[in-house]
Amino acid sequence: AQSVTQLDSHVSVSEGTPVLLRCNYSSSYSPSLFWYVQHPNKGLQLLLKYTSAATLVKGINGFEAEFKKSETSFHLTKPSAHMSDAAEYFCVVRLRSGATNKLIFGTGTLLAVQP
Amino acid sequence: AAGVIQSPRHLIKEKRETATLKCYPIPRHDTVYWYQQGPGQDPQFLISFYEKMQSDKGSIPDRFSAQQFSDYHSELNMSSLELGDSALYFCASSPRPLETQYFGPGTRLLVL
């Protein structure tokens, strides 16, 4: 079965410092992985996606993630946090079963950015 | 760029009432998905449609039904509402099945 595990439910950083949000996946074949962000009282916005092309994926707002098969990880990083990055971040895997395109969400990581 | 539109954005109902949530996909997207996000929970897949046919089904209660219309918009019908149905309901669309899903802003349903 495919799943994702977000290792931290809460992460707090200071503005201007690096961000690391950790995600491990479980899959018997090469997965399609995504990071979505949800700002308070807002919808889900796609940050970036990995679909078996380049292992280092660049997304919007300066975020990037690296797919590491040996570590079954897909951690999200950003060199310098901004106050507007405060939100909840979901690591997501697409369930592959025939023609299905069901997304399985991790439990989310709440990112707080301190001034 | 056009995004997924959901209406209403907020809805308050009482127990045992019915509710209808609407979703208008991004133009030229023929696949629609519904997710439910309970308070403090991650989104859970409910159901999806491709070309007006149900393509996949998740943890959708029997009290709920959904359909996709000829203009590709979708409606989620919820009957005999329960307190536990209070949640944020997301609709997403993709150009075709197996492609990236783009989410709408959600409909926040409160059942009193």
Side-chain angles (χ1 to χ4, degrees), chain B residues 27-93:
Chain B
R28 291 180 294 283
H29 284 200
D30 57 17
T31 310
V32 169
Y33 315 80
W34 287 97
Y35 292 81
Q36 178 192 55
Q37 184 181 27
Q41 305 291 316
D42 51 286
Q44 297 289 320
F45 172 78
L46 290 178
I47 196 167
S48 63
F49 292 88
Y50 167 60
E51 284 290 345
K52 294 155 280 185
M53 300 286 289
Q54 180 182 308
S55 55
D56 205 350
K57 195 172 182 180
S59 51
I60 183 170
D62 292 341
R63 300 177 289 106
F64 294 6
S65 65
Q67 57 182 323
Q68 185 180 31
F69 295 85
S70 57
D71 63 352
Y72 298 108
H73 94 273
S74 178
E75 294 183 5
L76 177 65
N77 298 293
M78 310 158 72
S79 62
S80 302
L81 287 169
E82 301 174 356
L83 297 178
D85 296 329
S86 296
L88 190 53
Y89 290 83
F90 286 111
C91 173
S93 73

Side-chain angles (χ1 to χ4, degrees), chain A residues 1-107:
Chain A
Q2 291 175 284
S3 66
V4 287
T5 302
Q6 292 184 245
L7 302 170
D8 307 293
S9 58
H10 293 84
V11 169
S12 182
V13 300
S14 297
E15 190 175 20
T17 64
V19 175
L20 170 63
L21 305 183
R22 298 183 295 166
C23 174
N24 286 112
Y25 69 89
S26 173
S27 178
S28 53
Y29 38 75
S30 184
S32 293
L33 294 162
F34 308 80
W35 277 97
Y36 283 86
V37 60
Q38 184 177 27
H39 287 91
N41 299 311
K42 294 290 179 65
L44 291 158
Q45 183 182 19
L46 177 68
L47 273 180
L48 49 79
K49 62 180 178 180
Y50 167 77
T51 53
S52 72
T55 55
L56 182 62
V57 182
K58 293 188 183 298
I60 61 172
N61 301 335
F63 283 95
E64 62 181 40
E66 187 171 8
F67 175 76
K68 291 187 176 180
K69 186 176 180 179
S70 60
E71 299 177 9
T72 61
S73 69
F74 189 57
H75 301 335
L76 181 70
T77 60
K78 183 173 180 177
S80 176
H82 192 272
M83 295 296 290
S84 61
D85 295 328
E88 186 152 27
Y89 292 78
F90 291 97
C91 182
V92 181
V93 64
R94 185 172 71 204
L95 184 65
R96 260 177 70 176
S97 176
T100 195
N101 192 15
K102 185 187 308 183
L103 297 182
I104 308 297
F105 284 74
T107 50

